[in-house]
Every structure is written in structure tokens, then in C-alpha cells.
Amino acid sequence: MPKHQQFKPTMAEMIRFMKEALIEAKRGFVDGGIPIGSVLVIDGKIVGRGHNRRVQKNSAILHAEMDCLENAGRLKASEYERATIYSTLSPCDMCSGAILLYGIPRVVVGENRNFKGPEEYVRSRGVEVTIIDDKDCIEIMQKFIKGYPELWNEDIGV
């Protein structure tokens, strides 16, 4: 049994931390950006928070997961081994690459109906991916995509 399984969050914990990621998504939207949020949790504690800041910072790379990892600061490999990253939307190729690079063993996704990243590839690399299918995460993205289709397409590289 891989050692990261001993740190597996319960469904109640997953829902609690996804609510924190959703708070980040809402902050991003209020700040004029894309409503996607993320939190990094180690040993049941949030160590990093972030939201998509591409618009606000005129950045090519500040997706929610990247912002979250940046805000967590430098961590040891042994800390990443115990981490779970939460994202309101399925992580894209870039963010999935960062998850793989740092050896984060678990990703909890709020929803993947509006966008689905390379979840099967991430799973094939040994990462546990859990989709919550959260109605609030789905709704916030549906409304955003409908209201701001050009900005959405820019964010996903279309």
C-alpha cells in the first residue's frame, strides 16, 4: 500500500476544503478574474490558497492551482507526499504537470463538466483523483462561461 493512502481525507473533509476553494473562486471573480479556486492541504491544514489571477496580474500562468502552490511557498518533498490539492475545476495540463512534478498524491476536483483536464493521465501516474461534482462549482463556471466566453476561451487556450 502506498504511504500516501494513510493521509486520505474523509468525504466530510473533502467537502469542507472544497468550500474553501470555492471561496477562493468567488474572490477571483470579485477581483475581475476567472472564478476558479484552489487550496493545498497537508495533514488536515490549509497551507496554501489561490485563485485564477491571469486577468488581474496579466499573467500567462496564474491558474488557481499555480497561484495556490506559489502562495504555499517552498515545501519539502516529504510535505508534498502528504498533500491534497483541491480545485473547483478539473486541473488543466499545466496545473496537472505541477501536481505531478511535486508528487502531490491526491487531487480533489469540484467539477469536470465545464472543463475536463487530463484526469486519466494523472491517474495513470499514480495520483488519486476524486471528482465531487459539486453543484456550486458547476454553477459558478456555467454562469461565467456564458457571460464571458472570450475570456474563458483565452484561459483554456482556445
Side-chain angles (χ1 to χ4, degrees):
M1 171 180 357
K3 61 182 171 180
H4 72 264
Q5 287 185 351
Q6 61 186 313
F7 302 108
K8 185 175 180 173
T10 65
M11 183 54 77
E13 289 170 321
M14 286 190 262
I15 291 168
R16 177 169 59 101
F17 291 125
M18 188 56 64
K19 286 181 181 181
E20 293 297 320
L22 191 57
I23 288 169
E24 286 297 319
K26 291 175 181 176
R27 283 183 182 147
F29 184 68
V30 167
D31 291 345
I34 299 164
I36 304 168
S38 182
V39 295
L40 183 68
V41 176
I42 299 175
D43 299 335
K45 295 182 179 130
I46 295 174
V47 298
R49 309 174 74 93
H51 50 268
N52 188 304
R53 293 180 195 251
R54 288 187 68 250
V55 174
Q56 300 93 315
K57 298 284 187 176
N58 196 32
S59 171
I61 62 169
L62 277 181
H63 283 190
E65 300 88 345
M66 302 299 277
D67 189 46
C68 175
L69 291 170
E70 177 71 14
N71 291 332
R74 292 174 56 201
L75 299 173
K76 296 177 182 175
S78 62
E79 292 172 297
Y80 286 120
E81 286 177 358
R82 302 189 321 268
T84 301
I85 193 162
Y86 293 79
S87 181
T88 57
L89 187 67
S90 182
C92 71
D93 289 321
M94 175 179 65
C95 298
S96 294
I99 290 163
L100 294 172
L101 175 67
Y102 291 111
I104 297 170
R106 269 173 317 286
V107 179
V108 178
V109 176
E111 69 106 345
N112 64 358
R113 294 183 190 195
N114 288 296
F115 176 83
K116 185 174 181 179
E119 295 167 10
E120 293 310 314
Y121 176 70
V122 171
R123 283 186 180 107
S124 79
R125 295 284 306 272
V127 176
E128 179 183 321
V129 179
T130 303
I131 312 299
I132 293 181
D133 208 28
D134 181 89
K135 66 177 179 59
D136 294 326
C137 293
I138 294 167
E139 183 178 295
I140 196 170
M141 283 312 303
Q142 283 176 340
K143 286 180 179 177
F144 180 80
I145 292 167
K146 184 176 180 182
Y148 305 90
E150 287 181 24
L151 186 55
W152 170 245
N153 287 336
E154 174 190 325
D155 194 63
I156 61 171
V158 175

